Amino acid sequence: KNPAMMGELDFIFSRYEGREEELFAQVCLKYGADRAALTKDLPPRTELEEGELVEAIVRLEEEHERRMRLLRRKREEVKELTLLIRLGSERRRCHACDVGICRAQRLIRFAGEICWLVAEESRCAEEEAGSLG
């Protein structure tokens, strides 16, 4: 989920040395992953090798990110359907107009997100320039 954290894996592994199963269980719990499904292809062993643990964590993070994207998409669909229901109950416009309103609302929301990102980038650049000066 956060590639910057990959550099901290050595520290995490050192903290959980000899307790790798506990670490793996905590990662599964954190990301809501099915531990059995993730380890079904691994040969039965009492300990996971470090490389296998890293691969399992990467798989968990990828699965978590996939689920989060799906959840965001479903939430957007619910918002649009709710808006369409509200717009349709007014009976002053045709369905195509209502769909156009939903699309316009989506474009406005994306434009707002872009403005926020640009403002955030500008703020970071100003902070960097201030810390260098």
Side-chain angles (χ1 to χ4, degrees):
K1 181 176 178 182
N2 186 353
M5 296 294 289
M6 294 300 283
E8 295 184 24
L9 284 177
D10 289 334
F11 172 74
I12 293 171
F13 290 140
S14 68
R15 283 186 59 202
Y16 283 89
E17 188 171 348
R19 301 180 305 149
E20 289 82 6
E21 289 286 325
E22 179 185 345
L23 172 62
F24 186 69
Q26 287 181 10
V27 170
C28 289
L29 182 65
K30 178 179 179 178
Y31 291 107
D34 181 9
R35 184 177 177 184
L38 289 171
T39 58
K40 69 179 180 186
D41 297 331
L42 296 175
R45 281 188 267 185
T46 57
E47 295 182 20
L48 289 174
E49 297 293 323
E50 185 175 324
E52 293 172 328
L53 188 57
V54 170
E55 290 174 16
I57 290 171
V58 169
R59 284 195 313 252
L60 278 172
E61 289 175 342
E62 289 170 352
E63 178 63 18
H64 176 70
E65 185 59 34
R66 186 188 68 78
R67 287 182 183 187
M68 292 305 293
R69 279 193 309 272
L70 182 61
L71 182 62
R72 283 190 297 270
R73 189 170 66 224
K74 294 299 178 186
R75 285 181 180 157
E76 291 298 320
E77 289 174 6
V78 168
K79 285 180 187 176
E80 285 186 13
L81 289 174
T82 303
L83 178 60
L84 280 173
I85 289 169
R86 279 190 271 134
L87 290 171
S89 65
E90 293 178 11
R91 300 188 186 277
R92 288 190 252 165
R93 293 169 307 278
C94 67
H95 177 71
C97 292
D98 291 347
V99 170
I101 290 171
C102 285
R103 288 184 181 142
Q105 185 184 40
R106 188 184 315 152
L107 285 173
I108 291 168
R109 188 175 55 250
F110 289 147
E113 289 176 13
I114 290 170
C115 289
W116 183 85
L117 290 171
V118 168
E120 183 69 16
E121 184 66 29
S122 296
R123 187 187 62 77
C124 289
E126 288 171 5
E127 286 179 3
E128 285 181 16
S131 67
L132 294 176

